[in-house]
Amino acid sequence: MPPADTTPVGTSATPSGTTPAAADATSTPADQSDTAVPWPDPCEVAGTIRFVAPEGSRVPEAMLAVVDPAVRAEADRLTGEDLRAMYRDMVLVREFDREATSLQRQGELGLWPECRGQEAAQIGSGSALRPRDHVFPSYREHGVAHVRGVDLLELLPIFRGIAQGGWDPVAHGFHLYTLVIGSHTLHATGYAMGIQRDGDVGTGDPERDRAVVAYFGDGATAQGDVNEAFVFASTVSAPVVFFCQNNQWAISAPTTVQTTVPLVDRGAGFGIRAFRVDGNDVVAVRAVTEVALEHARSGAGPVLVEAVTYRMGAHTTSDDPTRYRERAEEEAWRRRDPIDRLRTLLLAEGLATQEFLDGVDGEARELAAAVRTYCRALTKPPATVMFDHAYAAAHPLVAEERAWYEEYAASFDGPVASSSPSAH
């Protein structure tokens, strides 16, 4: 490892600029245009917090004046060791995501939602969490799952179609994936209200105070559930951080047709403190999330974070983004790749060696091999597992339904009632 293990590396800035021109939702699809035109960077809008520029250099000191001092302080506390750890996590998650996508294309998974391009938003925010905090993800937060200690392999059975979960939410402080868009923000707010009633907010004891994070995309902000969650959280000062990964596209609908103002401005309308951060800058995301979580844990109320990032892949493997996105747009965002940005910074600052980077790449290859082996070995469980976790305690109606199903299944001969792999 390089000698700068404990040297603070973060400097922050909020670049000034004007709002970029909105992307035309009817523009020529990628497969019809090879025009290499610059694509506006929404993170250059005034008010967006950025520490590391897309080319991997630090933002100039002169641009620090309007940045929240608490955010700057958190950035300055990050060390070379912190950045190397986040880099490693980002690389591992991307390789896992790539392998899972390939497995779906090979028929081993029924569906897969890629998180490629959003690693900084997820690893940066997830690494700011404490063990007693609790996360309510949507269905794309593979990076947050990894940081919370969930074995990435455990994400696969859901998308294989053989499980409704796969990990213990309590053990990891990481709830099960939610496929219903936005509904989990209400669950997160309710959980945060429970923490409040337990007295685990605003005590000043870091071993006791807790917060909740709800992750969702830009498209979810148009859902009634999300706005209802904002109302509840604001009026009761619930300790919840609403973390919006604005990846520019709600399937085929761009952000520009979902809102006429930056999503971060929604916070003020609900009386919620809000930050807008470059979601491809892991330093900025980590610093902002640290401040947001501390605000919530202290009892000061909810926070909205808009992390401006990009979905580099498809919405899910059932989607074809070439039908609605321009090649120029995708290429512009590839040049803002969060992993490339951090790698460049590490090398330029002498915070990582080529040996370290090669070692991480080796770990990623080993993970990919493990993913392939595990996924292909998955077998269908008995159908009765659907009754096992319907309620926390035994329930007479569930017991009655289970008994009926077992009797019904037993009435068939042969493979129909079987739970062996051959009965898939």
Side-chain angles (χ1 to χ4, degrees):
M1 292 297 179
D5 279 4
T6 58
T7 302
V9 298
T11 59
S12 59
T14 304
S16 59
T18 56
T19 303
D24 184 351
T26 63
S27 38
T28 306
D31 58 350
Q32 299 179 30
S33 173
D34 290 309
T35 307
V37 298
W39 201 265
D41 184 354
C43 294
E44 291 181 352
V45 176
T48 305
I49 299 173
R50 172 183 279 173
F51 298 92
V52 183
E55 65 272 15
S57 63
R58 297 191 190 186
V59 174
E61 181 72 20
M63 303 177 73
L64 296 174
V66 294
V67 178
D68 187 307
V71 175
R72 291 182 59 180
E74 289 297 340
D76 290 342
R77 271 194 276 271
L78 292 176
T79 66
E81 184 177 358
D82 295 326
L83 295 190
R84 285 193 298 277
M86 291 192 289
Y87 175 83
R88 174 181 176 273
D89 288 337
M90 291 165 65
V91 171
L92 292 179
V93 168
R94 177 165 295 186
E95 186 62 25
F96 165 76
D97 188 57
R98 181 185 293 114
E99 191 60 41
T101 302
S102 296
L103 286 165
Q104 192 283 328
R105 298 305 190 197
Q106 297 165 26
E108 299 291 346
L109 298 175
L111 185 75
W112 185 254
E114 292 182 79
C115 69
R116 180 162 50 98
Q118 299 179 219
E119 294 90 355
Q122 295 189 12
I123 299 301
S125 59
S127 61
L129 291 157
R130 292 177 185 168
R132 280 174 52 78
D133 295 329
H134 201 88
V135 172
F136 283 80
S138 57
Y139 49 78
R140 200 186 302 278
E141 280 69 55
H142 317 321
V144 185
H146 172 64
V147 173
R148 295 302 280 170
V150 177
D151 187 335
L152 287 170
L153 300 178
E154 293 185 283
L155 303 180
L156 299 176
I158 300 176
F159 299 100
R160 177 91 164 191
I162 61 173
Q164 301 177 59
W167 60 89
D168 183 347
V170 177
H172 299 288
F174 186 81
H175 204 69
L176 299 178
Y177 275 178
T178 302
L179 303 185
V180 179
I181 304 297
S183 65
H184 61 296
T185 57
L186 283 169
H187 307 156
T189 301
Y191 194 99
M193 292 168 69
I195 288 175
Q196 209 175 31
R197 283 150 181 74
D198 287 340
D200 292 341
V201 179
T203 69
D205 181 357
E207 298 300 318
R208 180 173 179 180
D209 290 340
R210 310 168 61 195
V212 176
V213 180
Y215 287 89
F216 52 93
D218 46 293
T221 63
Q223 294 290 107
D225 292 20
V226 174
N227 292 274
E228 291 165 11
F230 287 172
V231 171
F232 269 100
S234 177
T235 54
V236 301
S237 294
V240 56
V241 174
F242 296 106
F243 195 96
C244 174
Q245 293 176 84
N246 179 358
N247 65 17
Q248 311 303 308
W249 291 93
I251 308 183
S252 60
T255 306
T256 51
V257 304
Q258 302 171 58
T259 180
T260 56
V261 299
L263 294 175
V264 68
D265 291 351
R266 299 280 183 91
F270 292 94
I272 296 176
R273 188 182 186 189
F275 294 94
R276 193 172 197 263
V277 62
D278 182 342
N280 283 11
D281 174 3
V282 72
V283 175
V285 175
R286 170 70 174 266
V288 165
T289 310
E290 291 275 9
V291 172
L293 284 166
E294 187 53 37
H295 182 92
R297 295 187 196 110
S298 70
V303 180
L304 170 64
V305 175
E306 179 192 359
V308 182
T309 182
Y310 192 73
R311 168 169 55 80
M312 293 173 70
H315 174 71
T316 69
T317 46
S318 64
D319 171 44
D320 179 7
T322 65
R323 296 177 63 86
Y324 55 82
R325 292 201 310 211
E326 291 189 37
R327 184 176 290 109
E329 174 189 356
E330 295 179 335
E331 181 56 35
W333 280 97
R334 285 192 188 97
R335 293 194 293 269
R336 300 165 191 158
D337 187 297
I339 295 179
D340 291 346
R341 185 182 308 196
L342 182 55
R343 182 191 301 114
T344 300
L345 178 70
L346 289 170
L347 291 172
E349 298 285 339
L351 300 170
T353 63
Q354 190 60 48
E355 181 182 6
F356 166 78
L357 300 177
D358 292 344
V360 171
D361 290 342
E363 283 189 72
R365 289 191 295 272
E366 292 176 4
L367 174 61
V371 169
R372 289 192 294 274
T373 300
Y374 175 84
C375 185
R376 290 167 177 164
L378 287 171
T379 57
K380 183 179 179 181
T384 50
V385 299
M386 75 175 84
F387 302 103
D388 289 348
H389 302 291
Y391 292 95
H395 193 284
L397 179 59
V398 174
E400 179 183 338
E401 291 175 341
R402 181 184 186 119
W404 175 88
Y405 174 80
E406 289 176 339
E407 181 181 355
Y408 172 75
S411 69
F412 293 92
D413 294 326
V416 176
S418 172
S419 61
S420 67
S422 61
H424 271 228

